[in-house]
Amino acid sequence: MIDAHIHLDQYDYLTLPEKIDQWQQAGVKQVIAVSTDLHSSYKTLELQLRFPYFVNACIGFHPEFSYPTNHDLIEFKQLLKEERSRITAIGEIGLPHYEPQQVDKLPFFTELLDELLLYAYQYELPVSLHAVHDKAAIVLSLLKKHKIKQAHFHWFKGPQDVLTNILNAQYYISVTPELCYRKRDQPLLQNVPLTQLLIETDGPWQYNDSFQNQETTPLMLKNVVHSIEQQVHDTKLNIAEQIEFNTKQCYLL
């Protein structure tokens, strides 16, 4: 199994080696570690150095966080150029939706996303996307504008017509441990081909129901695979192997 979206830099630095050892013993082969800002990007790249065979590093600016400064953007561009060989993707990037001031932030982050997708095209990098509800269509149009080949719409929440267009463009959709208990996410499995499905935790984001008060880790991916098995009527082994293959295809691993 590969966790297709996790904020590894937000876990405890001292206990992380022990945790990663436990995850690997349980069958978690790798993680796609995303970043939220410039500082986070440096931390993620540091983790890639510490765990080179486990951590695939993504650098980016999360749209629900604060605005990056001009200096941040200049340094990010330089970081991308210097560390290209260690960078798996640009992410997490996208458009704001949940913050109260999202209407004010939207023009800035739309322009920023446009620039970051240009870099993704130039450096031939996949992108990990925060693009939910009505923002998914905007992001999809920008992906097509820049002719991005590999894109992952993480924890997708959006209208059916946009989902259809995303799938027709051969991009990938992921589900989280919410799939195990929230009915809203379950119809996705009836609409997303298994060949375009990824699994993620978005850790350390915490979940409810049977995961209440548990630390979110890639160990929860087994629960997600089990939930998929119950709905698509295939074996766990086939599902896990196909999703691992999808993740490698998406992120060029």
PDB file of all heavy atoms in Angstrom, residues 138-171:
ATOM      1  N   ILE A 138     -12.877  24.691 -11.924  1.00  0.00           N
ATOM      2  CA  ILE A 138     -11.885  25.723 -12.238  1.00  0.00           C
ATOM      3  C   ILE A 138     -10.500  25.099 -12.344  1.00  0.00           C
ATOM      4  O   ILE A 138      -9.738  25.377 -13.279  1.00  0.00           O
ATOM      5  CB  ILE A 138     -11.884  26.830 -11.162  1.00  0.00           C
ATOM      6  CG1 ILE A 138     -13.278  27.445 -11.003  1.00  0.00           C
ATOM      7  CG2 ILE A 138     -10.863  27.912 -11.508  1.00  0.00           C
ATOM      8  CD1 ILE A 138     -13.392  28.405  -9.831  1.00  0.00           C
ATOM      9  N   VAL A 139     -10.180  24.245 -11.369  1.00  0.00           N
ATOM     10  CA  VAL A 139      -8.870  23.594 -11.361  1.00  0.00           C
ATOM     11  C   VAL A 139      -8.704  22.705 -12.590  1.00  0.00           C
ATOM     12  O   VAL A 139      -7.645  22.697 -13.230  1.00  0.00           O
ATOM     13  CB  VAL A 139      -8.672  22.791 -10.064  1.00  0.00           C
ATOM     14  CG1 VAL A 139      -7.407  21.953 -10.138  1.00  0.00           C
ATOM     15  CG2 VAL A 139      -8.627  23.726  -8.865  1.00  0.00           C
ATOM     16  N   LEU A 140      -9.742  21.989 -12.940  1.00  0.00           N
ATOM     17  CA  LEU A 140      -9.677  21.122 -14.116  1.00  0.00           C
ATOM     18  C   LEU A 140      -9.385  21.930 -15.379  1.00  0.00           C
ATOM     19  O   LEU A 140      -8.572  21.509 -16.221  1.00  0.00           O
ATOM     20  CB  LEU A 140     -10.988  20.350 -14.273  1.00  0.00           C
ATOM     21  CG  LEU A 140     -11.077  19.430 -15.495  1.00  0.00           C
ATOM     22  CD1 LEU A 140      -9.984  18.365 -15.458  1.00  0.00           C
ATOM     23  CD2 LEU A 140     -12.455  18.776 -15.565  1.00  0.00           C
ATOM     24  N   SER A 141     -10.004  23.076 -15.504  1.00  0.00           N
ATOM     25  CA  SER A 141      -9.762  23.908 -16.690  1.00  0.00           C
ATOM     26  C   SER A 141      -8.316  24.386 -16.745  1.00  0.00           C
ATOM     27  O   SER A 141      -7.719  24.463 -17.827  1.00  0.00           O
ATOM     28  CB  SER A 141     -10.720  25.110 -16.704  1.00  0.00           C
ATOM     29  OG  SER A 141     -10.436  26.003 -15.642  1.00  0.00           O
ATOM     30  N   LEU A 142      -7.727  24.671 -15.581  1.00  0.00           N
ATOM     31  CA  LEU A 142      -6.327  25.107 -15.545  1.00  0.00           C
ATOM     32  C   LEU A 142      -5.379  23.942 -15.861  1.00  0.00           C
ATOM     33  O   LEU A 142      -4.336  24.139 -16.501  1.00  0.00           O
ATOM     34  CB  LEU A 142      -5.998  25.707 -14.182  1.00  0.00           C
ATOM     35  CG  LEU A 142      -6.648  27.063 -13.879  1.00  0.00           C
ATOM     36  CD1 LEU A 142      -6.373  27.490 -12.439  1.00  0.00           C
ATOM     37  CD2 LEU A 142      -6.144  28.127 -14.845  1.00  0.00           C
ATOM     38  N   LEU A 143      -5.728  22.749 -15.419  1.00  0.00           N
ATOM     39  CA  LEU A 143      -4.920  21.578 -15.760  1.00  0.00           C
ATOM     40  C   LEU A 143      -4.879  21.377 -17.272  1.00  0.00           C
ATOM     41  O   LEU A 143      -3.822  21.097 -17.856  1.00  0.00           O
ATOM     42  CB  LEU A 143      -5.499  20.321 -15.104  1.00  0.00           C
ATOM     43  CG  LEU A 143      -5.388  20.196 -13.587  1.00  0.00           C
ATOM     44  CD1 LEU A 143      -6.155  18.962 -13.123  1.00  0.00           C
ATOM     45  CD2 LEU A 143      -3.943  20.107 -13.141  1.00  0.00           C
ATOM     46  N   LYS A 144      -6.029  21.520 -17.903  1.00  0.00           N
ATOM     47  CA  LYS A 144      -6.092  21.355 -19.354  1.00  0.00           C
ATOM     48  C   LYS A 144      -5.331  22.473 -20.063  1.00  0.00           C
ATOM     49  O   LYS A 144      -4.653  22.231 -21.070  1.00  0.00           O
ATOM     50  CB  LYS A 144      -7.555  21.330 -19.800  1.00  0.00           C
ATOM     51  CG  LYS A 144      -8.298  20.080 -19.351  1.00  0.00           C
ATOM     52  CD  LYS A 144      -9.732  20.088 -19.839  1.00  0.00           C
ATOM     53  CE  LYS A 144     -10.458  18.805 -19.455  1.00  0.00           C
ATOM     54  NZ  LYS A 144     -11.866  18.808 -19.923  1.00  0.00           N
ATOM     55  N   LYS A 145      -5.427  23.685 -19.537  1.00  0.00           N
ATOM     56  CA  LYS A 145      -4.700  24.821 -20.118  1.00  0.00           C
ATOM     57  C   LYS A 145      -3.206  24.546 -20.166  1.00  0.00           C
ATOM     58  O   LYS A 145      -2.543  24.851 -21.160  1.00  0.00           O
ATOM     59  CB  LYS A 145      -4.985  26.082 -19.297  1.00  0.00           C
ATOM     60  CG  LYS A 145      -4.129  27.281 -19.667  1.00  0.00           C
ATOM     61  CD  LYS A 145      -4.352  28.446 -18.713  1.00  0.00           C
ATOM     62  CE  LYS A 145      -3.361  29.573 -18.963  1.00  0.00           C
ATOM     63  NZ  LYS A 145      -3.538  30.693 -18.003  1.00  0.00           N
ATOM     64  N   HIS A 146      -2.674  23.964 -19.101  1.00  0.00           N
ATOM     65  CA  HIS A 146      -1.230  23.738 -19.006  1.00  0.00           C
ATOM     66  C   HIS A 146      -0.819  22.335 -19.459  1.00  0.00           C
ATOM     67  O   HIS A 146       0.354  21.966 -19.329  1.00  0.00           O
ATOM     68  CB  HIS A 146      -0.758  23.990 -17.577  1.00  0.00           C
ATOM     69  CG  HIS A 146      -0.789  25.434 -17.190  1.00  0.00           C
ATOM     70  ND1 HIS A 146       0.101  26.352 -17.686  1.00  0.00           N
ATOM     71  CD2 HIS A 146      -1.642  26.120 -16.376  1.00  0.00           C
ATOM     72  CE1 HIS A 146      -0.182  27.545 -17.188  1.00  0.00           C
ATOM     73  NE2 HIS A 146      -1.226  27.437 -16.396  1.00  0.00           N
ATOM     74  N   LYS A 147      -1.786  21.558 -19.951  1.00  0.00           N
ATOM     75  CA  LYS A 147      -1.504  20.230 -20.497  1.00  0.00           C
ATOM     76  C   LYS A 147      -0.800  19.330 -19.475  1.00  0.00           C
ATOM     77  O   LYS A 147       0.171  18.641 -19.776  1.00  0.00           O
ATOM     78  CB  LYS A 147      -0.670  20.342 -21.770  1.00  0.00           C
ATOM     79  CG  LYS A 147      -1.355  21.138 -22.870  1.00  0.00           C
ATOM     80  CD  LYS A 147      -0.481  21.266 -24.104  1.00  0.00           C
ATOM     81  CE  LYS A 147      -1.177  22.113 -25.162  1.00  0.00           C
ATOM     82  NZ  LYS A 147      -0.327  22.297 -26.390  1.00  0.00           N
ATOM     83  N   ILE A 148      -1.317  19.374 -18.244  1.00  0.00           N
ATOM     84  CA  ILE A 148      -0.765  18.537 -17.182  1.00  0.00           C
ATOM     85  C   ILE A 148      -1.191  17.090 -17.420  1.00  0.00           C
ATOM     86  O   ILE A 148      -2.370  16.801 -17.602  1.00  0.00           O
ATOM     87  CB  ILE A 148      -1.248  19.019 -15.797  1.00  0.00           C
ATOM     88  CG1 ILE A 148      -0.836  20.479 -15.561  1.00  0.00           C
ATOM     89  CG2 ILE A 148      -0.711  18.109 -14.704  1.00  0.00           C
ATOM     90  CD1 ILE A 148       0.654  20.728 -15.581  1.00  0.00           C
ATOM     91  N   LYS A 149      -0.226  16.186 -17.377  1.00  0.00           N
ATOM     92  CA  LYS A 149      -0.517  14.776 -17.669  1.00  0.00           C
ATOM     93  C   LYS A 149      -0.934  13.991 -16.428  1.00  0.00           C
ATOM     94  O   LYS A 149      -1.820  13.144 -16.502  1.00  0.00           O
ATOM     95  CB  LYS A 149       0.707  14.123 -18.313  1.00  0.00           C
ATOM     96  CG  LYS A 149       1.027  14.671 -19.695  1.00  0.00           C
ATOM     97  CD  LYS A 149       2.224  13.953 -20.300  1.00  0.00           C
ATOM     98  CE  LYS A 149       2.538  14.496 -21.691  1.00  0.00           C
ATOM     99  NZ  LYS A 149       3.724  13.811 -22.290  1.00  0.00           N
ATOM    100  N   GLN A 150      -0.251  14.231 -15.296  1.00  0.00           N
ATOM    101  CA  GLN A 150      -0.557  13.487 -14.068  1.00  0.00           C
ATOM    102  C   GLN A 150      -1.106  14.432 -13.006  1.00  0.00           C
ATOM    103  O   GLN A 150      -0.416  15.380 -12.603  1.00  0.00           O
ATOM    104  CB  GLN A 150       0.690  12.791 -13.514  1.00  0.00           C
ATOM    105  CG  GLN A 150       0.992  11.451 -14.138  1.00  0.00           C
ATOM    106  CD  GLN A 150       1.753  11.565 -15.432  1.00  0.00           C
ATOM    107  OE1 GLN A 150       2.438  12.556 -15.671  1.00  0.00           O
ATOM    108  NE2 GLN A 150       1.634  10.564 -16.275  1.00  0.00           N
ATOM    109  N   ALA A 151      -2.333  14.176 -12.561  1.00  0.00           N
ATOM    110  CA  ALA A 151      -2.940  15.002 -11.520  1.00  0.00           C
ATOM    111  C   ALA A 151      -3.772  14.125 -10.592  1.00  0.00           C
ATOM    112  O   ALA A 151      -4.427  13.182 -11.028  1.00  0.00           O
ATOM    113  CB  ALA A 151      -3.812  16.094 -12.130  1.00  0.00           C
ATOM    114  N   HIS A 152      -3.720  14.474  -9.321  1.00  0.00           N
ATOM    115  CA  HIS A 152      -4.435  13.733  -8.280  1.00  0.00           C
ATOM    116  C   HIS A 152      -5.352  14.699  -7.544  1.00  0.00           C
ATOM    117  O   HIS A 152      -4.889  15.618  -6.870  1.00  0.00           O
ATOM    118  CB  HIS A 152      -3.410  13.101  -7.328  1.00  0.00           C
ATOM    119  CG  HIS A 152      -3.996  12.562  -6.062  1.00  0.00           C
ATOM    120  ND1 HIS A 152      -3.261  12.384  -4.911  1.00  0.00           N
ATOM    121  CD2 HIS A 152      -5.266  12.164  -5.740  1.00  0.00           C
ATOM    122  CE1 HIS A 152      -4.021  11.894  -3.973  1.00  0.00           C
ATOM    123  NE2 HIS A 152      -5.255  11.768  -4.444  1.00  0.00           N
ATOM    124  N   PHE A 153      -6.664  14.497  -7.680  1.00  0.00           N
ATOM    125  CA  PHE A 153      -7.661  15.266  -6.928  1.00  0.00           C
ATOM    126  C   PHE A 153      -7.849  14.556  -5.597  1.00  0.00           C
ATOM    127  O   PHE A 153      -8.562  13.558  -5.506  1.00  0.00           O
ATOM    128  CB  PHE A 153      -8.983  15.335  -7.691  1.00  0.00           C
ATOM    129  CG  PHE A 153      -8.977  16.297  -8.851  1.00  0.00           C
ATOM    130  CD1 PHE A 153      -8.316  15.981 -10.032  1.00  0.00           C
ATOM    131  CD2 PHE A 153      -9.634  17.518  -8.764  1.00  0.00           C
ATOM    132  CE1 PHE A 153      -8.311  16.862 -11.103  1.00  0.00           C
ATOM    133  CE2 PHE A 153      -9.629  18.404  -9.823  1.00  0.00           C
ATOM    134  CZ  PHE A 153      -8.965  18.083 -11.004  1.00  0.00           C
ATOM    135  N   HIS A 154      -7.178  15.064  -4.566  1.00  0.00           N
ATOM    136  CA  HIS A 154      -7.204  14.360  -3.291  1.00  0.00           C
ATOM    137  C   HIS A 154      -8.516  14.616  -2.559  1.00  0.00           C
ATOM    138  O   HIS A 154      -9.090  15.702  -2.630  1.00  0.00           O
ATOM    139  CB  HIS A 154      -5.966  14.756  -2.460  1.00  0.00           C
ATOM    140  CG  HIS A 154      -6.227  15.608  -1.274  1.00  0.00           C
ATOM    141  ND1 HIS A 154      -6.526  15.086  -0.038  1.00  0.00           N
ATOM    142  CD2 HIS A 154      -6.222  16.953  -1.114  1.00  0.00           C
ATOM    143  CE1 HIS A 154      -6.691  16.065   0.829  1.00  0.00           C
ATOM    144  NE2 HIS A 154      -6.516  17.206   0.209  1.00  0.00           N
ATOM    145  N   TRP A 155      -9.006  13.591  -1.868  1.00  0.00           N
ATOM    146  CA  TRP A 155     -10.256  13.637  -1.075  1.00  0.00           C
ATOM    147  C   TRP A 155     -11.341  14.370  -1.869  1.00  0.00           C
ATOM    148  O   TRP A 155     -11.872  15.378  -1.445  1.00  0.00           O
ATOM    149  CB  TRP A 155      -9.997  14.323   0.259  1.00  0.00           C
ATOM    150  CG  TRP A 155     -11.003  13.982   1.325  1.00  0.00           C
ATOM    151  CD1 TRP A 155     -12.262  13.505   1.144  1.00  0.00           C
ATOM    152  CD2 TRP A 155     -10.821  14.099   2.735  1.00  0.00           C
ATOM    153  NE1 TRP A 155     -12.882  13.325   2.348  1.00  0.00           N
ATOM    154  CE2 TRP A 155     -12.015  13.679   3.349  1.00  0.00           C
ATOM    155  CE3 TRP A 155      -9.762  14.523   3.527  1.00  0.00           C
ATOM    156  CZ2 TRP A 155     -12.183  13.681   4.729  1.00  0.00           C
ATOM    157  CZ3 TRP A 155      -9.930  14.519   4.908  1.00  0.00           C
ATOM    158  CH2 TRP A 155     -11.119  14.104   5.499  1.00  0.00           C
ATOM    159  N   PHE A 156     -11.674  13.826  -3.023  1.00  0.00           N
ATOM    160  CA  PHE A 156     -12.556  14.541  -3.957  1.00  0.00           C
ATOM    161  C   PHE A 156     -13.967  14.710  -3.422  1.00  0.00           C
ATOM    162  O   PHE A 156     -14.584  13.780  -2.930  1.00  0.00           O
ATOM    163  CB  PHE A 156     -12.618  13.798  -5.295  1.00  0.00           C
ATOM    164  CG  PHE A 156     -13.482  14.492  -6.304  1.00  0.00           C
ATOM    165  CD1 PHE A 156     -13.008  15.616  -6.966  1.00  0.00           C
ATOM    166  CD2 PHE A 156     -14.761  14.051  -6.574  1.00  0.00           C
ATOM    167  CE1 PHE A 156     -13.809  16.270  -7.892  1.00  0.00           C
ATOM    168  CE2 PHE A 156     -15.572  14.697  -7.490  1.00  0.00           C
ATOM    169  CZ  PHE A 156     -15.088  15.812  -8.150  1.00  0.00           C
ATOM    170  N   LYS A 157     -14.445  15.935  -3.532  1.00  0.00           N
ATOM    171  CA  LYS A 157     -15.845  16.259  -3.256  1.00  0.00           C
ATOM    172  C   LYS A 157     -16.256  17.233  -4.357  1.00  0.00           C
ATOM    173  O   LYS A 157     -15.759  18.362  -4.406  1.00  0.00           O
ATOM    174  CB  LYS A 157     -16.011  16.931  -1.893  1.00  0.00           C
ATOM    175  CG  LYS A 157     -15.343  16.211  -0.737  1.00  0.00           C
ATOM    176  CD  LYS A 157     -15.466  17.046   0.536  1.00  0.00           C
ATOM    177  CE  LYS A 157     -14.612  16.503   1.659  1.00  0.00           C
ATOM    178  NZ  LYS A 157     -13.176  16.776   1.467  1.00  0.00           N
ATOM    179  N   GLY A 158     -17.119  16.810  -5.235  1.00  0.00           N
ATOM    180  CA  GLY A 158     -17.502  17.679  -6.343  1.00  0.00           C
ATOM    181  C   GLY A 158     -18.679  17.108  -7.109  1.00  0.00           C
ATOM    182  O   GLY A 158     -19.070  15.946  -6.909  1.00  0.00           O
ATOM    183  N   PRO A 159     -19.245  17.894  -8.016  1.00  0.00           N
ATOM    184  CA  PRO A 159     -20.409  17.441  -8.780  1.00  0.00           C
ATOM    185  C   PRO A 159     -20.073  16.325  -9.759  1.00  0.00           C
ATOM    186  O   PRO A 159     -18.930  16.176 -10.192  1.00  0.00           O
ATOM    187  CB  PRO A 159     -20.855  18.716  -9.520  1.00  0.00           C
ATOM    188  CG  PRO A 159     -19.661  19.612  -9.528  1.00  0.00           C
ATOM    189  CD  PRO A 159     -18.877  19.280  -8.300  1.00  0.00           C
ATOM    190  N   GLN A 160     -21.106  15.560 -10.105  1.00  0.00           N
ATOM    191  CA  GLN A 160     -20.924  14.384 -10.953  1.00  0.00           C
ATOM    192  C   GLN A 160     -20.369  14.734 -12.329  1.00  0.00           C
ATOM    193  O   GLN A 160     -19.504  14.035 -12.860  1.00  0.00           O
ATOM    194  CB  GLN A 160     -22.269  13.657 -11.108  1.00  0.00           C
ATOM    195  CG  GLN A 160     -22.219  12.434 -12.003  1.00  0.00           C
ATOM    196  CD  GLN A 160     -21.283  11.367 -11.491  1.00  0.00           C
ATOM    197  OE1 GLN A 160     -21.298  11.029 -10.311  1.00  0.00           O
ATOM    198  NE2 GLN A 160     -20.447  10.822 -12.370  1.00  0.00           N
ATOM    199  N   ASP A 161     -20.837  15.827 -12.918  1.00  0.00           N
ATOM    200  CA  ASP A 161     -20.380  16.163 -14.268  1.00  0.00           C
ATOM    201  C   ASP A 161     -18.886  16.504 -14.275  1.00  0.00           C
ATOM    202  O   ASP A 161     -18.165  16.154 -15.213  1.00  0.00           O
ATOM    203  CB  ASP A 161     -21.203  17.307 -14.864  1.00  0.00           C
ATOM    204  CG  ASP A 161     -21.123  18.589 -14.042  1.00  0.00           C
ATOM    205  OD1 ASP A 161     -20.997  18.509 -12.807  1.00  0.00           O
ATOM    206  OD2 ASP A 161     -21.181  19.677 -14.638  1.00  0.00           O
ATOM    207  N   VAL A 162     -18.422  17.169 -13.211  1.00  0.00           N
ATOM    208  CA  VAL A 162     -16.997  17.506 -13.114  1.00  0.00           C
ATOM    209  C   VAL A 162     -16.187  16.229 -12.891  1.00  0.00           C
ATOM    210  O   VAL A 162     -15.105  16.049 -13.479  1.00  0.00           O
ATOM    211  CB  VAL A 162     -16.741  18.522 -11.990  1.00  0.00           C
ATOM    212  CG1 VAL A 162     -15.251  18.821 -11.869  1.00  0.00           C
ATOM    213  CG2 VAL A 162     -17.507  19.811 -12.255  1.00  0.00           C
ATOM    214  N   LEU A 163     -16.700  15.338 -12.055  1.00  0.00           N
ATOM    215  CA  LEU A 163     -16.029  14.057 -11.828  1.00  0.00           C
ATOM    216  C   LEU A 163     -15.856  13.308 -13.148  1.00  0.00           C
ATOM    217  O   LEU A 163     -14.776  12.781 -13.443  1.00  0.00           O
ATOM    218  CB  LEU A 163     -16.828  13.205 -10.841  1.00  0.00           C
ATOM    219  CG  LEU A 163     -16.318  11.778 -10.616  1.00  0.00           C
ATOM    220  CD1 LEU A 163     -14.909  11.777 -10.036  1.00  0.00           C
ATOM    221  CD2 LEU A 163     -17.278  11.003  -9.715  1.00  0.00           C
ATOM    222  N   THR A 164     -16.902  13.285 -13.943  1.00  0.00           N
ATOM    223  CA  THR A 164     -16.849  12.611 -15.248  1.00  0.00           C
ATOM    224  C   THR A 164     -15.768  13.223 -16.129  1.00  0.00           C
ATOM    225  O   THR A 164     -14.985  12.509 -16.775  1.00  0.00           O
ATOM    226  CB  THR A 164     -18.208  12.689 -15.958  1.00  0.00           C
ATOM    227  OG1 THR A 164     -19.196  12.042 -15.156  1.00  0.00           O
ATOM    228  CG2 THR A 164     -18.153  12.021 -17.327  1.00  0.00           C
ATOM    229  N   ASN A 165     -15.685  14.549 -16.135  1.00  0.00           N
ATOM    230  CA  ASN A 165     -14.672  15.232 -16.947  1.00  0.00           C
ATOM    231  C   ASN A 165     -13.254  14.965 -16.437  1.00  0.00           C
ATOM    232  O   ASN A 165     -12.318  14.839 -17.228  1.00  0.00           O
ATOM    233  CB  ASN A 165     -14.946  16.728 -16.981  1.00  0.00           C
ATOM    234  CG  ASN A 165     -16.200  17.074 -17.758  1.00  0.00           C
ATOM    235  OD1 ASN A 165     -16.599  16.333 -18.661  1.00  0.00           O
ATOM    236  ND2 ASN A 165     -16.837  18.192 -17.426  1.00  0.00           N
ATOM    237  N   ILE A 166     -13.102  14.894 -15.118  1.00  0.00           N
ATOM    238  CA  ILE A 166     -11.792  14.575 -14.529  1.00  0.00           C
ATOM    239  C   ILE A 166     -11.351  13.175 -14.951  1.00  0.00           C
ATOM    240  O   ILE A 166     -10.207  12.957 -15.352  1.00  0.00           O
ATOM    241  CB  ILE A 166     -11.857  14.677 -12.988  1.00  0.00           C
ATOM    242  CG1 ILE A 166     -11.983  16.138 -12.563  1.00  0.00           C
ATOM    243  CG2 ILE A 166     -10.625  14.034 -12.344  1.00  0.00           C
ATOM    244  CD1 ILE A 166     -12.281  16.318 -11.087  1.00  0.00           C
ATOM    245  N   LEU A 167     -12.276  12.235 -14.877  1.00  0.00           N
ATOM    246  CA  LEU A 167     -11.951  10.860 -15.250  1.00  0.00           C
ATOM    247  C   LEU A 167     -11.673  10.732 -16.743  1.00  0.00           C
ATOM    248  O   LEU A 167     -10.780   9.994 -17.162  1.00  0.00           O
ATOM    249  CB  LEU A 167     -13.091   9.932 -14.830  1.00  0.00           C
ATOM    250  CG  LEU A 167     -13.342   9.837 -13.318  1.00  0.00           C
ATOM    251  CD1 LEU A 167     -14.602   9.045 -13.028  1.00  0.00           C
ATOM    252  CD2 LEU A 167     -12.140   9.211 -12.615  1.00  0.00           C
ATOM    253  N   ASN A 168     -12.412  11.458 -17.554  1.00  0.00           N
ATOM    254  CA  ASN A 168     -12.179  11.436 -19.000  1.00  0.00           C
ATOM    255  C   ASN A 168     -10.797  11.994 -19.350  1.00  0.00           C
ATOM    256  O   ASN A 168     -10.212  11.616 -20.366  1.00  0.00           O
ATOM    257  CB  ASN A 168     -13.259  12.229 -19.736  1.00  0.00           C
ATOM    258  CG  ASN A 168     -14.600  11.507 -19.747  1.00  0.00           C
ATOM    259  OD1 ASN A 168     -14.662  10.294 -19.536  1.00  0.00           O
ATOM    260  ND2 ASN A 168     -15.672  12.233 -19.981  1.00  0.00           N
ATOM    261  N   ALA A 169     -10.306  12.889 -18.495  1.00  0.00           N
ATOM    262  CA  ALA A 169      -8.972  13.457 -18.701  1.00  0.00           C
ATOM    263  C   ALA A 169      -7.876  12.527 -18.172  1.00  0.00           C
ATOM    264  O   ALA A 169      -6.692  12.859 -18.248  1.00  0.00           O
ATOM    265  CB  ALA A 169      -8.875  14.818 -18.021  1.00  0.00           C
ATOM    266  N   GLN A 170      -8.280  11.371 -17.642  1.00  0.00           N
ATOM    267  CA  GLN A 170      -7.355  10.344 -17.137  1.00  0.00           C
ATOM    268  C   GLN A 170      -6.604  10.773 -15.876  1.00  0.00           C
ATOM    269  O   GLN A 170      -5.483  10.324 -15.620  1.00  0.00           O
ATOM    270  CB  GLN A 170      -6.364   9.915 -18.224  1.00  0.00           C
ATOM    271  CG  GLN A 170      -7.020   9.295 -19.443  1.00  0.00           C
ATOM    272  CD  GLN A 170      -7.891   8.081 -19.097  1.00  0.00           C
ATOM    273  OE1 GLN A 170      -7.430   7.140 -18.465  1.00  0.00           O
ATOM    274  NE2 GLN A 170      -9.151   8.125 -19.502  1.00  0.00           N
ATOM    275  N   TYR A 171      -7.237  11.638 -15.067  1.00  0.00           N
ATOM    276  CA  TYR A 171      -6.663  12.014 -13.784  1.00  0.00           C
ATOM    277  C   TYR A 171      -7.160  11.054 -12.700  1.00  0.00           C
ATOM    278  O   TYR A 171      -8.021  10.200 -12.952  1.00  0.00           O
ATOM    279  CB  TYR A 171      -7.026  13.456 -13.441  1.00  0.00           C
ATOM    280  CG  TYR A 171      -6.458  14.475 -14.410  1.00  0.00           C
ATOM    281  CD1 TYR A 171      -7.228  15.562 -14.835  1.00  0.00           C
ATOM    282  CD2 TYR A 171      -5.160  14.355 -14.899  1.00  0.00           C
ATOM    283  CE1 TYR A 171      -6.710  16.499 -15.738  1.00  0.00           C
ATOM    284  CE2 TYR A 171      -4.637  15.279 -15.795  1.00  0.00           C
ATOM    285  CZ  TYR A 171      -5.421  16.351 -16.211  1.00  0.00           C
ATOM    286  OH  TYR A 171      -4.906  17.270 -17.093  1.00  0.00           O
TER     287      TYR A 171
END
